[in-house]
């Protein structure tokens, strides 16, 4: 009977050793589920955001080092947030089980994605990162806009209009004096 247990143990050992990372992730999910019901909701939020942060590791590993648009990290303030970049972050919904991926704009906050499932938020973050990288490429490749300045017309001197006006005024006064002189006879 002892031999049967050893044989069974060898077969299990050869199939696939359990990965510690997978076991930790599973334990965190279970702990987050338990703490979601208990009083300590903030720790549950942080635990869930850490799970999402780990799920985003493969995405951020693919981003070239020359691209410095993204600064991912969890801020543990009053409302814990997983920051993707300066304007986009993930926070937990009111029930502390829903991930809300939002972007701050000058017109207010825009909801990009909302779901209970980590893969849905990972897909939304992947799309967001791709869009941001394309925007960056366009900004770097865009040729400078050449503003054509209309050729200025050659400016005439101010002397000739003044001289013409002066001559016309003298001629008008002479004509007025001549006309007044002829009428007085």
């Amino acid at each position: 009977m002892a031999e049967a247990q050893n044989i069974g143990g060898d077969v299990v050992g050869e199939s696939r050793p359990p990965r510690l990372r997978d076991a930790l992730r599973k334990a965190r999910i279970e702990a987050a589920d338990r703490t979601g019901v208990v009083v300590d909701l903030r720790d549950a939020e942080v635990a869930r955001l850490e799970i999402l942060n780990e799920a985003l590791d493969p995405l951020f590993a693919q981003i070239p080092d020359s691209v410095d648009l993204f600064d991912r990290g969890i801020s543990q303030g009053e409302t814990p947030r997983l920051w993707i970049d300066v304007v986009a972050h993930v926070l937990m919904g009111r029930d502390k089980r829903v991930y809300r991926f939002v972007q701050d704009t000058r017109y207010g906050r825009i909801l990009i994605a909302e779901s209970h499932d980590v893969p849905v938020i990972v897909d939304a973050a992947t799309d967001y990162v791709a869009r941001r990288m394309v925007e960056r490429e366009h900004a770097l490749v865009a040729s400078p806009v050449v503003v054509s300045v209309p050729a200025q017309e050659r400016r005439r001197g101010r002397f000739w209009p003044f001289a013409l006006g002066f001559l016309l005024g003298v001629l008008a006064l002479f004509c007025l004096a001549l006309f007044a002189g002829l009428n007085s006879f």
Side-chain angles (χ1 to χ4, degrees):
M1 185 164 350
E3 291 175 11
Q5 290 176 352
N6 287 340
I7 294 173
D10 290 341
V11 173
V12 172
E14 290 177 7
S15 65
R16 181 176 170 246
R19 293 185 54 200
L20 180 60
R21 184 177 179 151
D22 292 339
L24 283 172
R25 184 170 184 263
K26 184 178 176 184
R28 284 182 182 151
I29 290 172
E30 289 171 359
D33 285 339
R34 276 182 271 142
T35 22
V37 183
V38 186
V39 178
D40 199 7
L41 294 176
R42 186 176 174 281
D43 289 341
E45 287 182 77
V46 172
R48 288 179 182 276
L49 291 174
E50 286 175 353
I51 291 167
L52 178 61
N53 193 21
E54 286 180 6
L56 289 171
D57 282 342
L59 168 66
F60 283 92
Q62 296 175 17
I63 297 174
D65 292 334
S66 62
V67 177
D68 58 352
L69 290 173
F70 308 103
D71 191 20
R72 184 174 53 134
I74 297 177
S75 65
Q76 296 190 14
E78 185 177 325
T79 304
R81 295 177 180 161
L82 170 61
W83 291 91
I84 304 299
D85 64 0
V86 178
V87 295
H89 61 275
V90 178
L91 58 118
M92 301 308 294
R94 291 182 188 250
D95 68 349
K96 310 303 183 204
R97 292 181 182 265
V98 175
Y99 295 100
R100 299 188 79 222
F101 183 32
V102 296
Q103 179 182 14
D104 293 327
T105 67
R106 69 178 99 174
Y107 303 113
R109 188 170 282 173
I110 296 173
L111 179 66
I112 297 174
E114 184 174 40
S115 177
H116 287 83
D117 300 325
V118 172
V120 173
I121 302 300
V122 170
D123 289 342
T126 303
D127 292 342
Y128 175 79
V129 167
R131 283 193 313 265
R132 288 296 306 258
M133 290 178 70
V134 167
E135 288 174 8
R136 178 182 181 271
E137 289 173 3
H138 285 237
L140 293 176
V141 173
S143 60
V145 177
V146 178
V147 177
S148 61
V149 177
Q152 293 181 351
E153 294 182 21
R154 189 168 174 238
R155 230 175 142 184
R156 296 182 187 176
R158 295 183 181 169
F159 174 73
W160 293 115
F162 174 74
L164 181 61
F166 181 76
L167 287 176
L168 286 176
V170 169
L171 183 63
L173 285 175
F174 179 73
C175 290
L176 185 62
L178 182 63
F179 182 69
L182 290 176
N183 281 343
S184 62
F185 288 118

